[in-house]
Amino acid sequence: MKKKILALAMCVALLAIAIVGGTLAYFSDSDEATNTFTVGNVKIDLTEPNWEGSGSVDAPEVYAGEALAKDPTVENVGKNPCFVRIQVTGLDCLDKNDPDMLIHIRNANYVLDAVNADWEVKGDYIYYKHVLAVGDTTATPAFSAVVMPTALENGDGTTEFDIDVVAEAVQAQGAKPSWSAVQTMTVDEIAAWFTTCGM
């Protein structure tokens, strides 16, 4: 008789567990959220409209003191706002050992060794002082012309010399905790951000 009571009690307990388990199933829930995103990019185009227009036409036969139109301008063709800088090399291409043979840059106000408004020289680079928004072009070119040295003497008319301009850009977003702080960054801060970004 005790075995029957024990068996009956076990059946009742199992039934109770099954009922409670079934009841608990009604109180369970699940949910899912899908967050879709795309990865942006930083992409720029460097152009020199006045070089293409007249500078390159005058370049084959330069003379002492001549100014050749050269106006590095950067457009943001990527998906994210960015900071921009350019580097100019080859200004000493005529004679690396003679400072009198140095080619100079000139701004729009005809000042030698000066850059245009919206740009600032720091170290080996010329920095654009503003965030370059998506689809925008720098408000001014970095400079407006390159000027041949007045000490330039007769050449052979065939040797070619190169002045190279390289533009670089890094994302502006994330440079500071807030976007308003990013938009007011100094050139020193922009230069430091380029270093942080591995440039």
Side-chain angles (χ1 to χ4, degrees), residues 105-119:
I105 62 170
R106 187 188 78 190
N107 70 10
N109 295 321
Y110 299 91
V111 179
L112 285 181
D113 302 319
V115 295
N116 285 326
D118 304 305
W119 296 82

Side-chain angles (χ1 to χ4, degrees), residues 28-197:
S28 66
D29 191 14
S30 67
D31 196 3
E32 181 178 332
T34 300
N35 299 296
T36 303
F37 63 92
T38 60
V39 178
N41 61 50
V42 171
K43 187 174 181 184
I44 55 172
D45 277 345
L46 171 66
T47 59
E48 296 179 320
N50 290 330
W51 171 261
E52 299 302 327
S54 65
S56 62
V57 174
D58 296 333
E61 299 171 353
V62 298
Y63 54 84
E66 182 178 13
L68 299 176
K70 189 169 179 66
D71 51 343
T73 304
V74 180
E75 179 183 4
N76 183 349
V77 295
K79 299 289 187 185
N80 294 74
C82 62
F83 288 115
V84 172
R85 70 182 182 185
I86 67 166
Q87 184 175 37
V88 183
T89 58
L91 295 175
D92 60 352
C93 64
L94 294 170
D95 187 339
K96 295 186 186 309
N97 299 315
D98 186 352
D100 290 336
M101 294 297 287
L102 187 67
I103 298 169
H104 299 273
I105 62 170
R106 187 188 78 190
N107 70 10
N109 295 321
Y110 299 91
V111 179
L112 285 181
D113 302 319
V115 295
N116 285 326
D118 304 305
W119 296 82
E120 185 177 319
V121 177
K122 180 165 180 62
D124 294 331
Y125 295 94
I126 304 171
Y127 289 86
Y128 190 59
K129 296 191 278 188
H130 315 287
V131 173
L132 188 57
V134 174
D136 280 0
T137 301
T138 52
T140 56
F143 50 89
S144 299
V146 289
V147 181
M148 296 298 116
T150 55
L152 189 64
E153 297 178 355
N154 286 341
D156 60 18
T158 58
T159 302
E160 295 182 346
F161 301 93
D162 294 321
I163 298 172
D164 294 316
V165 177
V166 175
E168 298 176 338
V170 294
Q171 68 184 56
Q173 294 155 307
K176 292 278 186 177
S178 71
W179 184 241
S180 59
V182 169
Q183 293 175 306
T184 58
M185 285 172 63
T186 65
V187 167
D188 284 342
E189 291 173 317
I190 294 169
W193 181 240
F194 267 87
T195 302
T196 300
C197 293

Side-chain angles (χ1 to χ4, degrees), residues 7-17:
L8 183 59
M10 287 178 69
C11 287
V12 170
L14 287 173
L15 182 60
I17 291 171

